[in-house]
Structures are given as C-alpha cells and as structure tokens.
Amino acid sequence: TYYVRTGGTDGSSGLVNTDAGAFATLQKALDTYAGLDLNGYTVTIQLGDGTHTTGGTLDANPKGAFATTPLTIVGDASTPSDVIISTTAASCIVCSDGARLYIEGVKLQTTSSGVGLLAVRGGEIKYGNVDFGSCAGFQKEANDHGRIYNNGNYSISGGAVAHEHCNNQSYILNLSATVTITGTPAFSSYFVGVASAQVQYVSVTYSGSAT
C-alpha cells in the first residue's frame, strides 16, 4: 500500500500513512507503481481526506501485473466527497495503453478543461461509489478502444459537457446500479454520446433529475 496525503512529500517512501511518510501526489504513487515487478501481487494507493489538486496518468501495466485488477485507488468508501480530486486544465484519472486500474470512494471534478475518468488506447478503468462532480469536459470518456466499467452504485453531483462520451471502438458498461443525482446538474451537449462504439445499460435506475 502506498499513501497519498495533501500534506505529504513526493520525496518520501510513500509507505507510511503520515505527512512525513506519504506521497504528496497521486502521480508520484502511480509512477512508483509502474516501476515495480508485481510478480502477480496487487497494489493499493490510499488517498487521504482533503482536496488533491493533481490527478494521475497510468500509461502501462508494470511487469508481473497478472491479476485481473493489479491496482486499486481508494479514497473514502463511505463518504466519497471527503476525498476530492480537483484538477485544472487536466483530467483526474487517465488510463491508457492497456493499463488497468480500479478506483473507489472519491469525488472527481475538473476546471477549465479535463475529464473525470478517461480510458484511451486500450486502457481499462473500473470504478465504484464515485461521486462525479462538475467537469469542464466529460465526466467519463472512453476513446480508441478504452473501456470503463462500474462496480455498483455511484452518484452525480455536478454538470459537464456530458456524463458519458464513448467513441472509436470503445466500451462503457453500466450494470446493476442506482445512480443518485443531486442538485439538478446541467449537461450542455448530451447525457450520453456514442460514435462507432458501445454504451450498455443493464438494470440501472436513477434517483434525482438533471437538465
């Protein structure tokens, strides 16, 4: 387990859940993870409470990433809004080039530009209990063979250009979930957009309303 805290430092080991022992940025934790030889083991990145003003990009699986989900990023599973990834002119989470990760218990929001969850070039993102806040771009985007899957319920508390955008042979699956919408968020282009790709909804219900 690697720890990321708003009071941490990227010069630390990242292995101790204190300001002195934790990383300051998610990207440092992802870079450290990418340099490992997992030999079939898995890694957890624990995000501390507060607002993290930088996101993270994972553009390859490490050596030995044989597990179905080799990396899990965890915030606060009971109160995702206590752990916020809030970026400016950047996406919160980017997964590309075949990399795979799971993220849960966080709130995602972007300003100026940027996507909440972005899976591109064969990247795969699974998520659970995420709160999608206001995003300058899309809240979820799968592009160029990217894949995004939910794991249970999630919430939407902010607007965006679109909640989901999927194109170029990509896939977004929403399965067996209740989506809780608060605050009547506005989506300026559409709620879901698909072009030469597939978005699938199975047993999904909505609570709340949006425009």
Side-chain angles (χ1 to χ4, degrees):
T1 298
Y2 290 105
Y3 299 93
V4 178
R5 295 166 60 110
T6 57
T9 173
D10 283 348
S12 73
S13 69
L15 295 172
V16 183
N17 194 17
T18 63
D19 283 355
F23 293 137
T25 65
L26 175 58
Q27 189 60 58
K28 175 62 177 178
L30 290 173
D31 291 344
T32 303
Y33 163 79
L36 299 175
D37 184 343
L38 296 182
N39 193 27
Y41 288 91
T42 61
V43 169
T44 297
I45 296 174
Q46 176 69 59
L47 297 177
D49 287 359
T51 299
H52 301 263
T53 56
T54 59
T57 297
L58 182 65
D59 57 12
N61 289 314
K63 295 178 181 178
F66 308 133
T68 301
T69 306
L71 174 65
T72 298
I73 301 171
V74 181
D76 187 328
S78 60
T79 312
S81 59
D82 284 348
V83 182
I84 301 171
I85 301 177
S86 180
T87 60
T88 301
S91 295
C92 294
I93 301 293
V94 181
C95 193
S96 68
D97 299 282
R100 306 186 306 278
L101 65 82
Y102 175 74
I103 183 167
E104 69 174 0
V106 298
K107 181 176 181 177
L108 305 174
Q109 58 190 39
T110 72
T111 303
S112 299
S113 63
V115 175
L117 296 178
L118 176 58
V120 295
R121 297 191 301 276
E124 179 181 290
I125 298 174
K126 296 181 180 179
Y127 68 94
N129 197 21
V130 165
D131 180 0
F132 292 95
S134 297
C135 288
F138 307 119
Q139 290 174 333
K140 288 180 274 183
E141 180 181 7
N143 194 0
D144 194 12
H145 300 268
R147 301 176 302 279
I148 299 178
Y149 306 90
N150 76 304
N151 178 28
N153 304 332
Y154 68 92
S155 59
I156 301 171
S157 60
V161 173
H163 177 56
E164 292 180 343
H165 181 78
C166 188
N167 65 345
N168 194 12
Q169 308 303 313
S170 297
Y171 181 58
I172 296 177
L173 172 65
N174 299 277
L175 175 65
S176 301
T178 295
V179 181
T180 302
I181 304 173
T182 58
T184 316
F187 297 91
S188 59
S189 290
Y190 39 79
F191 191 70
V192 178
V194 189
S196 300
Q198 183 179 9
V199 173
Q200 187 172 13
Y201 282 79
V202 180
S203 301
V204 178
T205 60
Y206 291 88
S207 171
S209 61
T211 58

